[in-house]
Amino acid sequence: MGPFYDQSNDQESLDALTYAADRDMKFWDTSDVYGNSEDLIGQWFNTTGRRSEIFLVTQFGDWDTANDNKVLILHTFR
């Protein structure tokens, strides 16, 4: 799932999420930089109704460019 693992197939990604949840792998980490993973996880939640089972963490970053300072700031939400 996502651009870091070559090409991905949405149905295979959804199947992988089910496989993980069925095996008690319920801490999921995602980010907007992982391609369409957040959309797929949302689709999986809507399709399966299993949102309450998953501890979902997401983060996003932005650049602090004040005073020519190029620092990546990461924000994490759960």
Side-chain angles (χ1 to χ4, degrees), residues 37-77:
S37 66
E38 291 177 333
D39 293 330
L40 284 171
I41 290 171
Q43 181 182 343
W44 186 85
F45 288 152
N46 288 333
T47 302
T48 65
R50 297 176 70 178
R51 173 61 184 98
S52 64
E53 298 176 36
I54 305 302
F55 187 90
L56 181 66
V57 179
T58 188
Q59 62 270 334
F60 65 93
D62 56 16
W63 291 98
D64 176 8
T65 56
N67 302 316
D68 294 325
N69 187 11
K70 293 190 171 115
V71 177
L72 179 62
I73 302 169
L74 294 176
H75 307 276
T76 301
F77 298 95

Side-chain angles (χ1 to χ4, degrees), residues 3-4 14 17 21-22 25 28 32-33 36 39 43 47-49 54-55 67 69 76 78:
F4 300 105
L14 294 168
L17 294 173
D22 287 348
M25 294 178 235
W28 295 0
D32 60 345
V33 300
N36 68 338
D39 293 330
Q43 181 182 343
T47 302
T48 65
I54 305 302
F55 187 90
N67 302 316
N69 187 11
T76 301
R78 64 179 188 135

Side-chain angles (χ1 to χ4, degrees), residues 1-10 12-13:
M1 197 160 56
F4 300 105
Y5 302 103
D6 201 16
Q7 293 183 345
S8 63
N9 173 290
D10 287 355
E12 288 178 1
S13 296

